[in-house]
Amino acid sequence: MTMLRKAMGAALMALAVFPVVACSPKEERYESVCQLIRRSIVETDSKGKPELIDLELEWDPCPGDQFQVVRGGREFAECMAKYEIGDYLPVHVLHQWDTRGYYKWDLYRVGDCERPIERGAEGSYEKSQECTDRKSFGRTTGFTCSRKPFRELVKVCPWMSRE
């Protein structure tokens, strides 16, 4: 009877967990193009070789000012050395649900260089904004910027959606 009770308990637990797993948002993968606009060595080893590197990339096809900063380790830094500032590079994007209640994205490949994603690692982030002119009496008097992903941006670059 004890074995039957344990088996039934395990079956009930599996059924209770199934709806949570079945309804979890899933990961999506995308490909795009970015321009390499900055490379910074964050840390070097005793021989002066890069241990950590930051790259700043501008999303070429995305409307507005969309930038991505990615940090990578030694292998990524060595691989990225062949690219020049100004180069346009294919990128591979992982769009995934964050436990804080929104989607986020990160790059797992830049050019032909693999970049392992480390969840919660510091150094990688995105800078995104759309700015419009503010006018008064037909003259531009300033500008207003929004950092929320807008409809046109998400239509062209869906991985930037937070919803």
Short mmCIF file of all heavy atoms in Angstrom, two decimals, residues 2-59:
data_model
loop_
_atom_site.label_atom_id
_atom_site.label_comp_id
_atom_site.label_asym_id
_atom_site.label_seq_id
_atom_site.Cartn_x
_atom_site.Cartn_y
_atom_site.Cartn_z
N THR A 2 2.00 1.22 0.68
CA THR A 2 2.88 2.37 0.75
C THR A 2 3.43 2.73 -0.63
O THR A 2 3.50 3.89 -1.00
CB THR A 2 4.05 2.10 1.72
OG1 THR A 2 3.49 1.70 2.96
CG2 THR A 2 4.89 3.31 1.91
N MET A 3 3.80 1.71 -1.42
CA MET A 3 4.31 1.95 -2.78
C MET A 3 3.24 2.60 -3.65
O MET A 3 3.52 3.51 -4.42
CB MET A 3 4.79 0.64 -3.42
CG MET A 3 6.06 0.09 -2.80
SD MET A 3 7.44 1.18 -3.14
CE MET A 3 7.87 0.60 -4.74
N LEU A 4 2.00 2.12 -3.51
CA LEU A 4 0.89 2.67 -4.28
C LEU A 4 0.66 4.13 -3.89
O LEU A 4 0.47 4.99 -4.75
CB LEU A 4 -0.38 1.84 -4.07
CG LEU A 4 -1.62 2.32 -4.82
CD1 LEU A 4 -1.36 2.32 -6.32
CD2 LEU A 4 -2.80 1.47 -4.47
N ARG A 5 0.72 4.40 -2.61
CA ARG A 5 0.51 5.77 -2.12
C ARG A 5 1.61 6.70 -2.64
O ARG A 5 1.34 7.82 -3.06
CB ARG A 5 0.48 5.76 -0.59
CG ARG A 5 0.08 7.09 -0.01
CD ARG A 5 -0.12 7.02 1.47
NE ARG A 5 -1.46 6.49 1.70
CZ ARG A 5 -1.89 6.06 2.85
NH1 ARG A 5 -1.10 6.04 3.89
NH2 ARG A 5 -3.11 5.61 3.00
N LYS A 6 2.87 6.25 -2.65
CA LYS A 6 3.99 7.05 -3.17
C LYS A 6 3.82 7.31 -4.67
O LYS A 6 4.04 8.41 -5.15
CB LYS A 6 5.33 6.35 -2.91
CG LYS A 6 5.78 6.45 -1.48
CD LYS A 6 7.14 5.80 -1.32
CE LYS A 6 7.61 5.87 0.11
NZ LYS A 6 8.90 5.22 0.30
N ALA A 7 3.43 6.28 -5.40
CA ALA A 7 3.23 6.43 -6.85
C ALA A 7 2.11 7.41 -7.14
O ALA A 7 2.21 8.25 -8.04
CB ALA A 7 2.94 5.07 -7.48
N MET A 8 1.02 7.32 -6.38
CA MET A 8 -0.10 8.25 -6.56
C MET A 8 0.32 9.67 -6.21
O MET A 8 -0.04 10.62 -6.90
CB MET A 8 -1.30 7.81 -5.72
CG MET A 8 -1.84 6.46 -6.10
SD MET A 8 -3.48 6.37 -6.76
CE MET A 8 -4.40 7.71 -6.19
N GLY A 9 1.10 9.83 -5.16
CA GLY A 9 1.59 11.16 -4.77
C GLY A 9 2.47 11.76 -5.85
O GLY A 9 2.34 12.94 -6.19
N ALA A 10 3.35 10.94 -6.44
CA ALA A 10 4.22 11.42 -7.52
C ALA A 10 3.39 11.81 -8.74
O ALA A 10 3.65 12.83 -9.39
CB ALA A 10 5.25 10.35 -7.88
N ALA A 11 2.37 11.01 -9.05
CA ALA A 11 1.51 11.31 -10.20
C ALA A 11 0.75 12.62 -9.98
O ALA A 11 0.63 13.45 -10.88
CB ALA A 11 0.55 10.16 -10.46
N LEU A 12 0.23 12.81 -8.78
CA LEU A 12 -0.49 14.06 -8.48
C LEU A 12 0.44 15.26 -8.54
O LEU A 12 0.06 16.33 -9.02
CB LEU A 12 -1.15 13.95 -7.10
CG LEU A 12 -2.39 13.06 -7.04
CD1 LEU A 12 -2.85 12.92 -5.59
CD2 LEU A 12 -3.50 13.62 -7.91
N MET A 13 1.66 15.10 -8.06
CA MET A 13 2.64 16.19 -8.12
C MET A 13 2.94 16.55 -9.57
O MET A 13 3.00 17.72 -9.93
CB MET A 13 3.93 15.80 -7.39
CG MET A 13 4.97 16.90 -7.40
SD MET A 13 4.43 18.42 -6.59
CE MET A 13 4.79 18.00 -4.93
N ALA A 14 3.13 15.55 -10.42
CA ALA A 14 3.40 15.79 -11.84
C ALA A 14 2.24 16.53 -12.49
O ALA A 14 2.44 17.45 -13.28
CB ALA A 14 3.67 14.47 -12.56
N LEU A 15 1.01 16.14 -12.17
CA LEU A 15 -0.16 16.83 -12.72
C LEU A 15 -0.27 18.26 -12.22
O LEU A 15 -0.69 19.15 -12.93
CB LEU A 15 -1.44 16.05 -12.39
CG LEU A 15 -1.64 14.76 -13.17
CD1 LEU A 15 -2.85 14.00 -12.63
CD2 LEU A 15 -1.81 15.05 -14.65
N ALA A 16 0.12 18.50 -10.97
CA ALA A 16 0.06 19.85 -10.41
C ALA A 16 1.10 20.76 -11.06
O ALA A 16 0.86 21.93 -11.29
CB ALA A 16 0.27 19.81 -8.90
N VAL A 17 2.27 20.22 -11.39
CA VAL A 17 3.35 21.02 -11.99
C VAL A 17 3.13 21.22 -13.47
O VAL A 17 3.51 22.23 -14.03
CB VAL A 17 4.72 20.34 -11.72
CG1 VAL A 17 5.82 21.00 -12.50
CG2 VAL A 17 5.01 20.35 -10.23
N PHE A 18 2.46 20.29 -14.16
CA PHE A 18 2.28 20.34 -15.60
C PHE A 18 1.70 21.66 -16.10
O PHE A 18 2.24 22.26 -17.02
CB PHE A 18 1.43 19.17 -16.09
CG PHE A 18 1.19 19.21 -17.58
CD1 PHE A 18 2.20 18.87 -18.46
CD2 PHE A 18 -0.04 19.62 -18.08
CE1 PHE A 18 1.99 18.93 -19.83
CE2 PHE A 18 -0.25 19.67 -19.44
CZ PHE A 18 0.76 19.33 -20.32
N PRO A 19 0.60 22.19 -15.52
CA PRO A 19 0.05 23.45 -16.03
C PRO A 19 1.05 24.61 -15.93
O PRO A 19 1.10 25.46 -16.80
CB PRO A 19 -1.17 23.71 -15.14
CG PRO A 19 -1.54 22.38 -14.61
CD PRO A 19 -0.25 21.61 -14.48
N VAL A 20 1.85 24.65 -14.89
CA VAL A 20 2.83 25.72 -14.74
C VAL A 20 3.88 25.62 -15.83
O VAL A 20 4.23 26.60 -16.47
CB VAL A 20 3.49 25.66 -13.34
CG1 VAL A 20 4.61 26.67 -13.23
CG2 VAL A 20 2.45 25.88 -12.26
N VAL A 21 4.38 24.42 -16.08
CA VAL A 21 5.39 24.22 -17.12
C VAL A 21 4.79 24.43 -18.50
O VAL A 21 5.39 25.06 -19.36
CB VAL A 21 6.01 22.80 -16.99
CG1 VAL A 21 6.94 22.50 -18.14
CG2 VAL A 21 6.73 22.67 -15.65
N ALA A 22 3.59 23.93 -18.73
CA ALA A 22 2.95 24.03 -20.03
C ALA A 22 2.64 25.46 -20.40
O ALA A 22 2.63 25.82 -21.56
CB ALA A 22 1.68 23.18 -20.06
N CYS A 23 2.38 26.33 -19.41
CA CYS A 23 2.01 27.71 -19.68
C CYS A 23 3.20 28.67 -19.60
O CYS A 23 3.03 29.87 -19.75
CB CYS A 23 0.93 28.16 -18.70
SG CYS A 23 -0.61 27.25 -18.91
N SER A 24 4.38 28.17 -19.32
CA SER A 24 5.55 29.04 -19.22
C SER A 24 5.88 29.63 -20.58
O SER A 24 5.82 28.93 -21.59
CB SER A 24 6.77 28.25 -18.74
OG SER A 24 6.53 27.73 -17.46
N PRO A 25 6.22 30.92 -20.63
CA PRO A 25 6.63 31.51 -21.90
C PRO A 25 7.88 30.80 -22.41
O PRO A 25 8.72 30.38 -21.63
CB PRO A 25 6.95 32.96 -21.53
CG PRO A 25 6.23 33.19 -20.25
CD PRO A 25 6.20 31.87 -19.55
N LYS A 26 7.99 30.66 -23.71
CA LYS A 26 9.13 29.93 -24.25
C LYS A 26 10.17 30.89 -24.83
O LYS A 26 9.90 32.06 -25.06
CB LYS A 26 8.69 28.94 -25.31
CG LYS A 26 7.98 29.55 -26.49
CD LYS A 26 7.54 28.47 -27.44
CE LYS A 26 6.72 29.09 -28.56
NZ LYS A 26 6.32 28.14 -29.54
N GLU A 27 11.34 30.36 -25.02
CA GLU A 27 12.43 31.12 -25.63
C GLU A 27 12.21 31.21 -27.13
O GLU A 27 11.64 30.31 -27.73
CB GLU A 27 13.76 30.44 -25.38
CG GLU A 27 14.15 30.30 -23.95
CD GLU A 27 15.49 29.59 -23.79
OE1 GLU A 27 15.97 28.95 -24.73
OE2 GLU A 27 16.02 29.69 -22.69
N GLU A 28 12.68 32.31 -27.71
CA GLU A 28 12.68 32.46 -29.16
C GLU A 28 14.07 32.91 -29.57
O GLU A 28 14.76 33.60 -28.83
CB GLU A 28 11.64 33.50 -29.60
CG GLU A 28 10.22 33.07 -29.30
CD GLU A 28 9.22 34.13 -29.71
OE1 GLU A 28 9.13 35.14 -29.00
OE2 GLU A 28 8.57 33.93 -30.74
N ARG A 29 14.47 32.52 -30.77
CA ARG A 29 15.78 32.89 -31.29
C ARG A 29 15.59 33.68 -32.57
O ARG A 29 14.72 33.37 -33.37
CB ARG A 29 16.63 31.65 -31.53
CG ARG A 29 16.94 30.95 -30.21
CD ARG A 29 17.74 29.68 -30.40
NE ARG A 29 17.87 29.00 -29.12
CZ ARG A 29 18.92 29.11 -28.32
NH1 ARG A 29 19.94 29.86 -28.66
NH2 ARG A 29 18.95 28.46 -27.16
N TYR A 30 16.43 34.72 -32.72
CA TYR A 30 16.36 35.60 -33.89
C TYR A 30 17.76 35.82 -34.44
O TYR A 30 18.75 35.63 -33.74
CB TYR A 30 15.78 36.96 -33.49
CG TYR A 30 14.36 36.91 -33.00
CD1 TYR A 30 14.07 36.81 -31.64
CD2 TYR A 30 13.29 36.97 -33.89
CE1 TYR A 30 12.77 36.77 -31.18
CE2 TYR A 30 11.98 36.93 -33.43
CZ TYR A 30 11.73 36.84 -32.08
OH TYR A 30 10.44 36.80 -31.63
N GLU A 31 17.82 36.27 -35.70
CA GLU A 31 19.07 36.69 -36.32
C GLU A 31 18.88 38.11 -36.81
O GLU A 31 17.81 38.47 -37.28
CB GLU A 31 19.43 35.78 -37.49
CG GLU A 31 19.79 34.38 -37.09
CD GLU A 31 20.18 33.51 -38.27
OE1 GLU A 31 20.79 34.03 -39.22
OE2 GLU A 31 19.86 32.32 -38.23
N SER A 32 19.94 38.91 -36.70
CA SER A 32 19.88 40.29 -37.17
C SER A 32 21.30 40.74 -37.54
O SER A 32 22.20 39.90 -37.68
CB SER A 32 19.29 41.21 -36.09
OG SER A 32 19.04 42.49 -36.62
N VAL A 33 21.47 42.05 -37.67
CA VAL A 33 22.78 42.63 -38.01
C VAL A 33 23.02 43.81 -37.08
O VAL A 33 22.12 44.60 -36.82
CB VAL A 33 22.80 43.13 -39.47
CG1 VAL A 33 24.10 43.83 -39.79
CG2 VAL A 33 22.56 41.98 -40.43
N CYS A 34 24.26 43.90 -36.58
CA CYS A 34 24.67 45.03 -35.76
C CYS A 34 25.97 45.60 -36.30
O CYS A 34 26.76 44.88 -36.93
CB CYS A 34 24.91 44.61 -34.31
SG CYS A 34 23.42 44.30 -33.35
N GLN A 35 26.19 46.89 -36.05
CA GLN A 35 27.47 47.51 -36.38
C GLN A 35 28.30 47.60 -35.10
O GLN A 35 27.80 48.06 -34.06
CB GLN A 35 27.27 48.90 -36.96
CG GLN A 35 28.57 49.53 -37.39
CD GLN A 35 28.39 50.91 -38.02
OE1 GLN A 35 27.37 51.56 -37.83
NE2 GLN A 35 29.38 51.33 -38.78
N LEU A 36 29.54 47.16 -35.18
CA LEU A 36 30.47 47.24 -34.05
C LEU A 36 30.93 48.69 -33.93
O LEU A 36 31.53 49.22 -34.86
CB LEU A 36 31.67 46.31 -34.29
CG LEU A 36 32.76 46.31 -33.24
CD1 LEU A 36 32.23 45.91 -31.87
CD2 LEU A 36 33.89 45.38 -33.66
N ILE A 37 30.60 49.34 -32.82
CA ILE A 37 30.98 50.75 -32.70
C ILE A 37 31.99 51.03 -31.58
O ILE A 37 32.59 52.10 -31.54
CB ILE A 37 29.74 51.66 -32.53
CG1 ILE A 37 28.93 51.30 -31.31
CG2 ILE A 37 28.88 51.62 -33.77
CD1 ILE A 37 27.83 52.30 -31.01
N ARG A 38 32.21 50.05 -30.68
CA ARG A 38 33.21 50.25 -29.62
C ARG A 38 33.67 48.90 -29.09
O ARG A 38 32.88 47.98 -28.97
CB ARG A 38 32.62 51.08 -28.48
CG ARG A 38 33.60 51.38 -27.35
CD ARG A 38 32.98 52.23 -26.25
NE ARG A 38 31.81 51.65 -25.63
CZ ARG A 38 31.85 50.77 -24.62
NH1 ARG A 38 32.98 50.35 -24.14
NH2 ARG A 38 30.72 50.30 -24.11
N ARG A 39 34.95 48.81 -28.79
CA ARG A 39 35.53 47.62 -28.16
C ARG A 39 36.37 48.11 -26.99
O ARG A 39 37.22 48.97 -27.17
CB ARG A 39 36.41 46.85 -29.14
CG ARG A 39 37.12 45.67 -28.52
CD ARG A 39 38.11 45.00 -29.47
NE ARG A 39 37.42 44.49 -30.64
CZ ARG A 39 37.81 44.73 -31.90
NH1 ARG A 39 38.86 45.45 -32.14
NH2 ARG A 39 37.14 44.22 -32.90
N SER A 40 36.14 47.56 -25.80
CA SER A 40 36.91 47.95 -24.62
C SER A 40 37.39 46.70 -23.89
O SER A 40 36.60 45.81 -23.61
CB SER A 40 36.05 48.77 -23.64
OG SER A 40 35.57 49.93 -24.25
N ILE A 41 38.66 46.68 -23.59
CA ILE A 41 39.21 45.59 -22.79
C ILE A 41 38.96 45.94 -21.32
O ILE A 41 39.38 46.99 -20.85
CB ILE A 41 40.70 45.38 -23.08
CG1 ILE A 41 40.87 44.97 -24.54
CG2 ILE A 41 41.29 44.34 -22.14
CD1 ILE A 41 42.31 44.92 -25.02
N VAL A 42 38.28 45.05 -20.62
CA VAL A 42 37.90 45.29 -19.23
C VAL A 42 38.98 44.76 -18.29
O VAL A 42 39.35 45.41 -17.33
CB VAL A 42 36.54 44.64 -18.91
CG1 VAL A 42 36.15 44.84 -17.45
CG2 VAL A 42 35.46 45.19 -19.84
N GLU A 43 39.49 43.55 -18.58
CA GLU A 43 40.54 42.94 -17.77
C GLU A 43 41.51 42.20 -18.67
O GLU A 43 41.12 41.65 -19.71
CB GLU A 43 39.95 41.93 -16.77
CG GLU A 43 39.19 42.55 -15.64
CD GLU A 43 38.68 41.49 -14.65
OE1 GLU A 43 39.17 40.35 -14.66
OE2 GLU A 43 37.79 41.86 -13.87
N THR A 44 42.79 42.17 -18.28
CA THR A 44 43.81 41.43 -19.01
C THR A 44 44.49 40.44 -18.06
O THR A 44 44.46 40.62 -16.84
CB THR A 44 44.87 42.36 -19.61
OG1 THR A 44 45.47 43.11 -18.56
CG2 THR A 44 44.27 43.31 -20.64
N ASP A 45 45.16 39.44 -18.65
CA ASP A 45 45.93 38.51 -17.83
C ASP A 45 47.33 39.08 -17.62
O ASP A 45 47.63 40.20 -18.06
CB ASP A 45 45.95 37.11 -18.44
CG ASP A 45 46.67 37.03 -19.78
OD1 ASP A 45 47.38 38.00 -20.16
OD2 ASP A 45 46.55 35.99 -20.45
N SER A 46 48.22 38.33 -17.00
CA SER A 46 49.57 38.82 -16.68
C SER A 46 50.41 39.09 -17.94
O SER A 46 51.38 39.84 -17.89
CB SER A 46 50.30 37.82 -15.77
OG SER A 46 50.40 36.56 -16.43
N LYS A 47 50.00 38.51 -19.08
CA LYS A 47 50.73 38.73 -20.34
C LYS A 47 50.09 39.83 -21.19
O LYS A 47 50.52 40.08 -22.31
CB LYS A 47 50.78 37.43 -21.14
CG LYS A 47 51.55 36.33 -20.42
CD LYS A 47 51.49 35.05 -21.21
CE LYS A 47 52.19 33.94 -20.43
NZ LYS A 47 52.03 32.64 -21.08
N GLY A 48 49.06 40.45 -20.66
CA GLY A 48 48.40 41.54 -21.39
C GLY A 48 47.31 41.08 -22.35
O GLY A 48 46.76 41.90 -23.09
N LYS A 49 46.98 39.80 -22.35
CA LYS A 49 45.90 39.30 -23.22
C LYS A 49 44.55 39.57 -22.57
O LYS A 49 44.41 39.41 -21.35
CB LYS A 49 46.07 37.81 -23.48
CG LYS A 49 47.24 37.48 -24.37
CD LYS A 49 47.19 36.03 -24.76
CE LYS A 49 48.11 35.81 -25.93
NZ LYS A 49 47.86 34.53 -26.57
N PRO A 50 43.55 39.94 -23.37
CA PRO A 50 42.23 40.23 -22.81
C PRO A 50 41.60 39.02 -22.13
O PRO A 50 41.58 37.93 -22.68
CB PRO A 50 41.40 40.63 -24.03
CG PRO A 50 42.39 41.02 -25.07
CD PRO A 50 43.61 40.19 -24.81
N GLU A 51 41.10 39.23 -20.91
CA GLU A 51 40.34 38.23 -20.16
C GLU A 51 38.85 38.53 -20.25
O GLU A 51 38.04 37.62 -20.26
CB GLU A 51 40.76 38.23 -18.69
CG GLU A 51 42.13 37.65 -18.45
CD GLU A 51 42.13 36.13 -18.49
OE1 GLU A 51 41.22 35.51 -17.91
OE2 GLU A 51 43.04 35.57 -19.11
N LEU A 52 38.50 39.81 -20.26
CA LEU A 52 37.11 40.28 -20.40
C LEU A 52 37.10 41.42 -21.40
O LEU A 52 37.98 42.29 -21.36
CB LEU A 52 36.57 40.80 -19.07
CG LEU A 52 36.03 39.82 -18.06
CD1 LEU A 52 35.58 40.54 -16.80
CD2 LEU A 52 34.89 39.00 -18.62
N ILE A 53 36.08 41.41 -22.26
CA ILE A 53 35.95 42.46 -23.27
C ILE A 53 34.50 42.92 -23.32
O ILE A 53 33.58 42.13 -23.13
CB ILE A 53 36.43 41.94 -24.65
CG1 ILE A 53 36.46 43.06 -25.68
CG2 ILE A 53 35.57 40.81 -25.12
CD1 ILE A 53 37.12 42.66 -26.99
N ASP A 54 34.30 44.21 -23.54
CA ASP A 54 32.98 44.77 -23.79
C ASP A 54 32.92 45.24 -25.23
O ASP A 54 33.86 45.88 -25.72
CB ASP A 54 32.70 45.97 -22.88
CG ASP A 54 32.33 45.59 -21.46
OD1 ASP A 54 32.15 44.39 -21.19
OD2 ASP A 54 32.23 46.50 -20.62
N LEU A 55 31.82 44.94 -25.89
CA LEU A 55 31.56 45.44 -27.24
C LEU A 55 30.29 46.27 -27.19
O LEU A 55 29.32 45.89 -26.53
CB LEU A 55 31.32 44.29 -28.22
CG LEU A 55 32.41 43.26 -28.40
CD1 LEU A 55 31.94 42.20 -29.39
CD2 LEU A 55 33.69 43.90 -28.87
N GLU A 56 30.30 47.39 -27.89
CA GLU A 56 29.07 48.15 -28.06
C GLU A 56 28.66 48.00 -29.51
O GLU A 56 29.46 48.23 -30.42
CB GLU A 56 29.25 49.62 -27.70
CG GLU A 56 27.94 50.37 -27.75
CD GLU A 56 28.02 51.77 -27.16
OE1 GLU A 56 29.11 52.19 -26.72
OE2 GLU A 56 26.98 52.46 -27.16
N LEU A 57 27.42 47.59 -29.71
CA LEU A 57 26.87 47.33 -31.03
C LEU A 57 25.64 48.19 -31.25
O LEU A 57 24.86 48.40 -30.32
CB LEU A 57 26.49 45.85 -31.14
CG LEU A 57 27.61 44.86 -30.85
CD1 LEU A 57 27.04 43.50 -30.47
CD2 LEU A 57 28.54 44.74 -32.03
N GLU A 58 25.48 48.67 -32.47
CA GLU A 58 24.27 49.40 -32.83
C GLU A 58 23.43 48.51 -33.72
O GLU A 58 23.93 47.94 -34.70
CB GLU A 58 24.59 50.70 -33.55
CG GLU A 58 23.35 51.50 -33.88
CD GLU A 58 23.65 52.87 -34.48
OE1 GLU A 58 24.81 53.13 -34.85
OE2 GLU A 58 22.72 53.67 -34.56
N TRP A 59 22.14 48.37 -33.36
CA TRP A 59 21.23 47.54 -34.14
C TRP A 59 20.94 48.25 -35.45
O TRP A 59 20.22 49.25 -35.47
CB TRP A 59 19.95 47.28 -33.37
CG TRP A 59 20.14 46.42 -32.18
CD1 TRP A 59 20.32 46.82 -30.88
CD2 TRP A 59 20.21 45.00 -32.15
NE1 TRP A 59 20.48 45.74 -30.07
CE2 TRP A 59 20.42 44.60 -30.82
CE3 TRP A 59 20.11 44.02 -33.14
CZ2 TRP A 59 20.52 43.27 -30.44
CZ3 TRP A 59 20.21 42.70 -32.76
CH2 TRP A 59 20.42 42.34 -31.43
#
